[in-house]
Amino acid sequence: MKILKVGGAVRDSLLNHPHSEVDWVVVGATPQALLDRGFTQVGKDFPVFLHPSTKEEYALARTERKSGRGYHGFEVHAHPSVTLEEDLARRDLTINAMAMTDEGDIIDPYGGRADIAKRLLRHVSPHFIEDPLRVLRVARFAGRYGYLGFTVAPETLTLMQRIVAAGELAHLSVERIWTETERALAESQPEIYFSVLKDCGALEALMPALALSNGIDHLTRARVHTTRVDCRWAALLATLSPDNATQTCRALKAPKLFEALANGVARYQPATKNALRQASGCFDLLKGLDSFRRDEPFDGFLATLAALEGHSADAHPTTRLLRRACEAARQINAASTGTNTLTGPALGAAIKERQIRVIAATLAQ
Ligand code: ATP
Ligand code: MG
């Protein structure tokens, strides 16, 4: 049996890009041979094993044949006779289809190194179109390696357009789409993920309200000042109506905190200037963001607001003022009303009046 490093670890070592997990391919072995060496099998559909001590993934060399629709419609053929070249042929991009021996020799049957030199994300074969997840993966890699000058090869973009036009994205699970999107938001140029999706028509299919907005420009500006993925997401959706922001989050099953933040930014960012002049508006903003009771989504709101305006959260006069107003209002409780006869709505109204007063005093400072 032969064991080689494959995929991202090989690509990233050639690119000098940091990489954490290593994937391995095992050629000329049976599942039993790996089990005998203490590996445990993890793949339900695929013959993938975990190393007994490092817990890294070892996959038997395999070929795949399209047998149905979508991401899972593959017939997998793993056998000791499958060659390394055959295994590499099923991979998405040429830069992901290289292997490395223990001695550091690179096996590169599909021109991965040439495409690294040309800074191209290029598909390995026409079979690329068989898995719609690749549309999202390529967009994500474009966001990750944009800083090195990588772009999507025009012929690969054409195949991505074909996948989208054939309606294949509908076969991806929402969870998978969100996972890719959340990972893309953490990349160095997340806006490239969304613009590549736009270029191939996928943005319109997956996030139609966003495709019609100028959200990508907002994300481009904001991501410089925040690495928080929820804030980047909220910046992207900032110019949608609050309802559209919420709907976009729900359609992708984004986590509740992402949804609350995106809705809060879409709703209150336009009202912020006014809120700084008028205590009752400021109260509505703080209350609407649940900031008297919780840190989030208020902290995220401030970070997003600052990032959209070109600042980090603690170096932005507007967010500092809103935070002081919030802290002042948080000090107010039943005892602050100066009477213990009030209950229910009357007490609530008295507390609100006090809070507006201390907010006004803070804004006037
Ligand atoms: P990352 O740094 O994000 O882990 P990676 O390239 O290692 O990037 P993995 O998802 O870990 O990505 O997959 C390992 C390898 O498996 C890839 O490099 C690629 O060769 C192959 N691969 C993964 N998913 C697909 C897919 N949907 N279609 C084709 N090949 C894939
Ligand atoms: Mg990997």
Side-chain angles (χ1 to χ4, degrees), residues 16 43 73 79 81 88 91 105 151 181 184 196 202 214 245 247-248 297 309 311 322 336 349:
N16 269 326
H79 191 269
S81 66
L88 294 175
R91 295 169 186 270
D105 294 329
T151 56
T181 302
V196 169
N214 55 354
Q247 213 198 333
T248 302
E309 294 180 14
H311 301 270
L322 284 173
S336 330

Side-chain angles (χ1 to χ4, degrees), residues 7-8 11 19 23 91-92 96 131 134 137 144 183:
R11 175 197 66 222
H19 193 94
D23 299 298
R91 295 169 186 270
D92 48 4
N96 291 345
D131 176 5
R134 292 170 188 161
R137 283 177 56 87
R144 186 190 295 176
R183 290 176 74 184

Side-chain angles (χ1 to χ4, degrees), residues 278-313:
Q278 207 196 17
S280 66
C282 191
F283 174 88
D284 290 342
L285 180 152
L286 295 173
K287 177 122 182 120
L289 291 166
D290 206 13
S291 49
F292 302 141
R293 299 194 305 154
R294 295 190 167 82
D295 290 338
E296 295 294 344
F298 183 57
D299 283 351
F301 175 82
L302 296 184
T304 310
L305 188 70
L308 283 166
E309 294 180 14
H311 301 270
S312 66

Side-chain angles (χ1 to χ4, degrees), residues 68-92:
R69 293 178 75 88
Y71 172 57
H72 286 295
F74 282 102
E75 216 169 83
V76 173
H77 173 68
H79 191 269
S81 66
V82 174
T83 65
L84 179 62
E85 284 70 17
E86 285 171 329
D87 178 274
L88 294 175
R90 70 170 171 83
R91 295 169 186 270
D92 48 4

Side-chain angles (χ1 to χ4, degrees), residues 1 50 54 69 108 126 139 146 158 214 260 287 344 348:
M1 101 173 51
L50 292 187
T54 67
R69 293 178 75 88
D108 176 23
T158 303
N214 55 354
K287 177 122 182 120

Side-chain angles (χ1 to χ4, degrees), residues 330-352:
R330 275 182 178 180
Q331 304 306 315
I332 305 299
N333 52 31
S336 330
T337 60
T339 156
N340 53 12
T341 56
L342 296 175
T343 54
L347 175 61
I351 292 176
K352 175 176 172 179

